[in-house]
Amino acid sequence: KAGVTQTPRYLIKTRGQQVTLSCSPISGHRSVSWYQQTPGQGLQFLFEYFSETQRNKGNFPGRFSGRQFSNSRSEMNVSTLELGDSALYLCASRSGLAGESETQYFGPGTRLLVL
Amino acid sequence: AQSVTQLDSQVPVFEEAPVELRCNYSSSVSVYLFWYVQYPNQGLQLLLKYLSGSTLVESINGFEAEFNKSQTSFHLRKPSVHISDTAEYFCAVSHRGRAAGNKLTFGGGTRVLVKP
């Protein structure tokens, strides 16, 4: 099976702009989670979507939002970008089925630079 | 709430020497435990996991970790490292039970630098 894919891999934006990141989970997986990785804060959970519904949300401002489509692909949107939003954004998928349901598999990430 | 502490931010080690990366967690409920590895400019790769059963788990590339419930630890070990093991290693936990969702809480990471 193909792994988790994320597009784009690299992105440069300026303050005040908005950005949309995309994630395609492993085929058959129903859950997608998003994480932000920065040198200062480390890896932090943003939100999880399961069958098109947000199941869990981290402690991030409302500028960070997401959605999941019927084919389990997910998008993450950040509006009114700030310099501090520069980070590696990682997407992870899990099957949602019994047994292996708790294991998350990560994509390569999208590196966002806000100037 | 849960938290994960990786006691060493950096671990230099010579090739073919053993290495141990320490991970302690705090949680009010039962957890699943994971180790992920991140190579430069890449995402996270699952190294090994403890979901249930034997408290000693092994990976295909020689790493092992032991879940110690009384000490709330999940230390990672490898008896003989290779240059290719140079990477950053992250310990993570998630709550058991679907009601809690599947959020992973990560430690701060341990950078392993293998020297020839």
Side-chain angles (χ1 to χ4, degrees):
Chain A
K1 283 185 180 178
V4 178
T5 59
Q6 293 186 244
T7 57
R9 291 292 311 278
Y10 303 93
L11 207 48
I12 300 176
K13 292 286 187 179
T14 57
R15 280 182 300 172
Q17 287 187 311
Q18 75 165 12
V19 66
T20 299
L21 312 182
S22 181
C23 171
S24 292
I26 293 170
S27 177
H29 282 196
R30 297 164 62 189
S31 166
V32 172
S33 296
W34 289 89
Y35 294 83
Q36 181 196 65
Q37 185 179 24
T38 60
Q41 299 300 317
L43 282 153
Q44 293 185 287
F45 171 77
L46 280 155
F47 29 65
E48 180 198 10
Y49 286 87
F50 188 95
S51 295
E52 302 179 65
T53 302
Q54 189 179 88
R55 290 279 299 273
N56 206 348
K57 190 177 189 303
N59 188 25
F60 278 82
R63 300 185 297 107
F64 291 81
S65 63
R67 59 178 175 168
Q68 187 179 33
F69 302 96
S70 58
N71 62 358
S72 293
R73 190 177 69 85
S74 176
E75 288 182 348
M76 190 192 100
N77 184 275
V78 187
S79 62
T80 319
L81 284 166
E82 300 177 359
L83 295 179
D85 296 333
S86 295
L88 180 67
Y89 290 89
L90 292 162
C91 166
S93 80
R94 67 182 175 97
S95 69
L97 301 174
E100 282 294 308
S101 65
E102 304 303 334
T103 303
Q104 295 191 34
Y105 299 91
F106 284 80
T110 294
R111 188 164 296 280
L112 172 64
L113 177 62
V114 182
L115 302 176
Chain B
Q2 53 194 3
S3 65
V4 180
T5 302
Q6 292 183 241
L7 296 163
D8 305 294
S9 60
Q10 293 189 67
V11 174
V13 57
F14 286 105
E15 193 174 17
E16 297 184 5
V19 70
E20 178 180 77
L21 308 184
R22 296 176 292 170
C23 171
N24 287 92
Y25 70 92
S26 172
S27 177
S28 57
V29 299
S30 296
V31 297
Y32 299 112
L33 295 148
F34 305 87
W35 276 99
Y36 287 88
V37 59
Q38 186 175 37
Y39 299 101
N41 300 314
Q42 294 188 25
L44 300 176
Q45 296 179 26
L46 179 68
L47 193 57
L48 44 75
K49 60 189 176 185
Y50 172 76
L51 302 181
S52 64
S54 173
T55 57
L56 182 65
V57 291
E58 298 177 352
S59 72
I60 57 173
N61 54 356
F63 284 94
E64 65 176 30
E66 186 160 19
F67 170 49
N68 188 318
K69 188 175 181 180
S70 63
Q71 297 187 6
T72 60
S73 68
F74 192 52
H75 301 333
L76 182 69
R77 302 182 184 91
K78 188 171 185 180
S80 177
V81 297
H82 303 289
I83 294 290
S84 59
D85 293 323
T86 294
E88 189 158 20
Y89 294 78
F90 292 93
C91 181
V93 303
S94 67
H95 279 168
R96 291 179 178 271
R98 292 183 184 279
N102 196 239
K103 164 189 170 182
L104 281 170
T105 300
F106 287 90
T110 298
R111 290 187 183 274
V112 173
L113 175 60
V114 180
K115 304 176 180 179

